[in-house]
Amino acid sequence: MGFRTLRFVVRIRRSERYPVEIREGLLERVGGELRNGLAVSRAAVLTDSRVAALHARPLLRSLAGSGLDARVIAIPPGERSKSLPSLARVLARMHRLGVDRRTTLLNLGGGVVCDLGGFAASAYMRGLPYVNVPTTLVAQLDASLGGKVAVNTADAKNLLGAFHQPRAVLIDPSLLRTLSSRDLRCGFGEGIKAAILGSAPLFERLERDREALLGRDGEALAWTIAEAARVKMRLVEADPYEAELRRALNLGHTIAHALETDRHYGGIKHGEAVAFGVATATEVARRRRMIDSGDADRILALLEAYRLPIRLARLDVGSLLGRLRSIRMVRGGRLLFVVPTGIGRVEILEDLPDAELGSALARRRGKE
Ligand SMILES: NC(=O)c1ccc[n+]([C@@H]2O[C@H](COP(=O)([O-])OP(=O)(O)OC[C@H]3O[C@@H](n4cnc5c(N)ncnc54)[C@H](O)[C@@H]3O)[C@@H](O)[C@H]2O)c1
Ligand SMILES: [Zn+2]
């Protein structure tokens, strides 16, 4: 169906580069990619139990075909597995399975598996190589890329983490066919974020091709994943350790993280929380007249077109502001806040008064 293989290389430093490959059917070729492309001789697979039931078999067959006899570690699905107790269990399993520094960890799953597995790989014996095989749209166009890995605590999302880049990212969009439609829409939350911060053509395609994308058309999805990934990798390459430029990727995330923590990592999904955060940031920009009203309306309309929440009925503004205050505290009194200033453009505010944030949030309370 006109599907092409897309491949590009991410350059973090002169010494550190890794390939990102997007191709339908790639799952069945992972063994060869590891063995021939990366000279991997030992592997272990981290996944969640839902993904394991759906997609582990072809992966293990491909690994075995390349002489890689990998053991599988499966965590329960969902955001609550991105935690310190779950990390401890994974590390203990790795130890019992005899994982050593010659072993490459293969993360087969969504953002939870990529973040948790990447962090386990950064910590285990002071660092193992890992490869991401993302299986959700959130992970294919965002979480599997860029090397930010973490777990949540009850107090704060991604509080414990590291920068640890993967050796390769192998993306098979056909895996998205088994994804729930809610999780698919979550991916467009991150996709719309990427479009706003760096690609008007992506934004336009998301508007134009909504039906094909929600219908999981392979070509449309692959193009979208590649374009969102390019937006992200441009920023990551320029600023791998998030000193400055990379911060733009946090568009929608200041509020998303507060909201997810507030709801104890249940009820609202990350992509939905990001969509709500983008809607609120758009509200802030509109009130400051930093964005043309027509562009602000386009952003809200696109989020709505993918049935993402731009309003929330159950919104505890006071509690959210409290969480944002504690983020401000650990950041030396400043709450960096990314706002859209057009389609393909953002600006970073050095701080945002509680009153302004509170009234933008209050405007977003309503019928979902
Ligand atoms: N490190 C980063 O740069 C980065 C970027 C974006 C998001 N994230 C993180 O990613 C996490 C969210 O990731 P997510 O939305 O992928 O959630 P997830 O990993 O929990 O996956 C969502 C659900 O989809 C299921 N699933 C996964 N692949 C499937 C498939 N192919 N078919 C059927 N079901 C499948 C999972 O079992 C799970 O129930 C958050 O913790 C977020 O903070 C990290
Ligand atoms: Zn995100």
Side-chain angles (χ1 to χ4, degrees), residues 184-196 203 206-207 210 214 251-252 270-283 286 295-311 340 343 364:
L184 185 71
R185 286 187 278 105
C186 281
F188 291 111
E190 296 281 21
I192 293 169
K193 173 205 76 177
I196 294 169
F203 196 94
L206 287 165
E207 287 180 324
R210 183 181 58 122
L214 288 174
L251 172 63
H270 179 69
E272 295 166 343
V274 168
F276 179 78
V278 169
T280 310
T282 305
E283 192 67 55
R286 195 207 297 264
D295 283 346
D297 288 341
R298 262 176 92 191
I299 292 173
L300 297 179
L302 188 59
L303 292 166
E304 259 192 315
Y306 284 86
R307 296 197 3 246
L308 289 159
I310 59 169
R311 279 185 203 83
I343 308 298
R364 297 272 115 233

Side-chain angles (χ1 to χ4, degrees), residues 24-267:
E24 282 207 49
L26 189 54
L27 186 72
E28 276 137 49
R29 309 168 77 126
V30 168
E33 296 282 331
L34 293 190
R35 188 100 220 182
N36 308 329
L38 301 169
V40 169
S41 59
R42 294 177 61 130
V45 176
L46 179 73
T47 186
D48 75 36
S49 54
R50 179 170 299 149
V51 177
L54 291 164
H55 300 295
R57 194 170 298 172
L59 174 68
L60 293 174
R61 206 184 308 125
S62 159
L63 293 174
S66 296
L68 292 165
D69 171 28
R71 304 295 295 270
V72 177
I73 303 170
I75 59 171
E79 187 72 31
R80 289 192 175 129
S81 280
K82 211 179 109 175
S83 68
L84 208 47
S86 156
L87 174 71
R89 280 193 292 274
V90 167
L91 294 171
R93 271 302 300 276
M94 287 165 72
H95 183 60
R96 281 199 298 276
L97 293 176
V99 168
D100 66 14
R101 285 174 100 166
R102 290 165 299 166
T103 310
T104 294
L105 187 66
L106 254 182
N107 296 324
L108 174 74
V112 166
V113 166
C114 292
D115 278 13
L116 178 74
F119 192 33
S122 80
Y124 189 84
M125 295 178 82
R126 299 196 181 83
L128 294 184
Y130 74 102
V131 168
N132 281 335
V133 184
T135 64
T136 62
L137 187 58
V138 166
Q140 296 196 342
L141 55 69
D142 194 336
S144 64
L145 300 148
K148 265 172 87 173
V149 294
V151 297
N152 309 320
T153 69
D155 292 325
K157 174 104 177 157
N158 296 337
L159 186 66
L160 304 169
F163 288 97
H164 188 46
Q165 300 291 340
R167 289 276 310 278
V169 181
L170 305 175
I171 300 173
D172 182 346
S174 70
L175 302 181
L176 302 179
R177 289 195 195 118
T178 56
L179 198 59
S180 70
S181 66
R182 185 177 177 191
D183 281 307
L184 185 71
R185 286 187 278 105
C186 281
F188 291 111
E190 296 281 21
I192 293 169
K193 173 205 76 177
I196 294 169
L197 68 90
S199 173
L202 176 57
F203 196 94
E204 284 151 20
R205 181 133 194 204
L206 287 165
E207 287 180 324
R208 199 175 58 238
D209 279 354
R210 183 181 58 122
E211 256 173 60
L213 286 164
L214 288 174
R216 306 173 202 229
D217 173 79
E219 192 278 330
L221 280 173
W223 187 89
T224 299
I225 293 162
E227 185 59 19
R230 276 194 211 103
V231 169
K232 179 165 184 178
M233 295 334 298
R234 268 203 303 274
L235 294 167
V236 170
E237 285 182 338
D239 176 21
Y241 299 106
E242 199 167 318
E244 204 180 329
L245 284 172
R246 188 174 175 164
R247 286 190 186 132
L249 290 165
N250 292 324
L251 172 63
H253 280 65
T254 310
I255 286 175
H257 288 171
L259 193 58
E260 290 178 83
T261 309
D262 219 43
R263 300 202 171 171
H264 313 290
Y265 310 113

Side-chain angles (χ1 to χ4, degrees), residues 280 283-284 287 315 317 321 353-365:
T280 310
E283 192 67 55
V284 168
R287 292 164 141 244
L315 191 63
V317 174
L321 289 178
D354 267 10
E356 194 180 345
L357 197 51
S359 61
L361 278 168
R363 293 259 317 204
R364 297 272 115 233
R365 186 164 38 205

